[in-house]
Amino acid sequence: MKTYTNAFFRRAGTAALAASLALVSGCKDYLDVPPQGQLSGDTVDPATAQKLVDGVYNAMYQGGFGNDVHGLQFVILTDIASDDSDKGSSPNDYKDALDVDNFTLGSTNSNVNNVWKGYYQAIASANQALDKVPLSTAPTATKNDLIGQVRFLRGYFYFNLVRLFGGVPKLDRVPLPSEANSAAFQTRASAADIYSLIISDLQFAVDNLPVKSATQVGRATKAAAQGMLAKVYLYQKNYQKAFDLSNEIVTGKSGSYGLFRPYADIWRTAGANSSESIFEVQTGINAACNNSAVELYVVSQGPRAGGKGGWADLGFGFNSPSSDLANAYETGDVRRAGSIIFIQPTAPAGQRSTGTVLWDGFRIPSKDSVENSRYSYKAYHSRKQEPNCGNNDFLPKNIRVLRYAEVLLIRAEAAAQLGNAATAQTDLDAVRNRAGLTTKPATVANIWQERRVELALEHDRFFDLVRQESVMPGRIVPIFTAQGKTFTKGKNELFPIPQPQIDLSGGLLTQNPGY
């Protein structure tokens, strides 16, 4: 499996412009290149161009409690903010996460600030690569492939930012030193302008990236760009383009993909970069054991020891699947057991319990030995049967960003909206068949429900609810009300612009409504 050397870009960005001007740092074997502004001459050698592109992939590793792209803080703003999960862990642990869970967060919440910084650091590294890769002496096709990879990643970064915050500063190039205090880079572009940039980036990637079989494992491909762009068009309610792009993948014109079996193995090492994989964040180990993984992603969501038991702690216990999610699965749906670790009840007095035995044989003694009764199976990484270097903070689990089942559901939803009932039914049936279920009418509401249980705990549910509200007004508030949470329409669809970023911009950044 291809892995990328870890580079965490620990020089934290502040305001968007500061992030873009920051020096790009990282491990010597991938980013041993001069700082931004010091690459001289009219040409760049191909090896340096490749290192700059590798640096953009490396930016996706940011996690922990600092700048964050795919780590716990991103999980908090996606899964825990949704109806799929509760904060979990111990009741008094991590108030900022609890505030997100309860929609009581404000603009000083550390999660929103660190995710903002992480994504702008990633965008800064993308812009640096796009500034220099065109100067490479490599053949034009090679350069366009590298540029396509970076523009795919930048489009993906901005897609997450616009879904989290709405309109944000638009940094589509490396600012000049004379623009260090430019208001243009510190004020918010409209969400429509950001979506235009995303579509432009992803379309370039569609036009220039090779199919999966013609590129290195883990690199962005034509299908990855088509699938991500189809998803963007779904958000734009451009159902024809969403259908056309996803159809290219399903019909095999962009490579060979399929539904991987069994479902539970998709998130294990056995399912990494499988036929199901359209795009995933690459991790893994090599001879150096250099922590090539998203910091704390696995351990922050692992079962947390508490009360009685005295067993080895597997994690912090965050992102506990909700009872509402557990009850959303139909009888016989294999995805329920493949997505959620259910802690077995404690045995009555005088009786011996076998506890909860995980897929790798690890045994959790009893329900009163853990803090929570449910944990994410998709985030679990076996210390016994999967590769690791013994560092729980950097367990090498690939994060699945886009997979074939979602492409089928994108095509199904677009087809249903276009009145193409036959295709919608075919795609919905395929996903349900893998789950062990029989056919169900391919209505839009049923496809949305299928998205929930198929993609549970994969960091998209909150965004889906907001998107679906724009299609079916009145949907979102009752969902959260049923969980005892107050979702304020017109406010909680977006997160607050971080107050530290507003302060650093001198007030040029404006706040979202209600905050």
Side-chain angles (χ1 to χ4, degrees), residues 253-270:
K253 295 178 181 177
S254 305
S256 179
Y257 297 91
L259 294 171
F260 184 78
R261 289 176 170 83
Y263 178 85
D265 276 0
I266 294 172
W267 296 270
R268 299 172 189 167
T269 300

Side-chain angles (χ1 to χ4, degrees), residues 7-9 58-64 67-71 118 121-122 294:
F8 283 96
F9 302 97
N58 290 341
M60 295 191 292
Y61 288 160
Q62 294 184 94
N67 295 357
D68 194 304
V69 173
H70 287 114
Q121 279 284 55
V294 178

Side-chain angles (χ1 to χ4, degrees), residues 205-273:
V206 168
D207 294 338
N208 289 278
L209 290 180
V211 297
K212 187 175 183 178
S213 61
T215 189
Q216 287 178 287
V217 173
R219 300 285 175 174
T221 63
K222 185 178 187 70
Q226 288 174 319
M228 193 65 67
L229 186 53
K231 189 169 180 175
V232 168
Y233 279 129
L234 203 64
Y235 276 70
Q236 299 287 289
K237 302 177 191 175
N238 189 331
Y239 300 116
Q240 188 62 59
K241 287 189 176 180
F243 179 88
D244 292 343
L245 286 158
S246 55
N247 189 59
E248 289 277 316
I249 301 171
V250 177
T251 57
K253 295 178 181 177
S254 305
S256 179
Y257 297 91
L259 294 171
F260 184 78
R261 289 176 170 83
Y263 178 85
D265 276 0
I266 294 172
W267 296 270
R268 299 172 189 167
T269 300
N273 300 306

Side-chain angles (χ1 to χ4, degrees), residues 4 53 57 60 145-153 202 205 208-212 214-225 257 278-280 282:
Y4 300 107
V53 175
Y57 284 98
M60 295 191 292
D145 182 350
L146 294 176
I147 293 169
Q149 291 179 56
V150 176
R151 292 190 69 175
F152 166 80
L153 292 171
L202 294 178
N208 289 278
L209 290 180
V211 297
K212 187 175 183 178
T215 189
Q216 287 178 287
V217 173
R219 300 285 175 174
T221 63
K222 185 178 187 70
Y257 297 91
I278 306 292
F279 185 74
E280 56 190 76
Q282 301 297 303

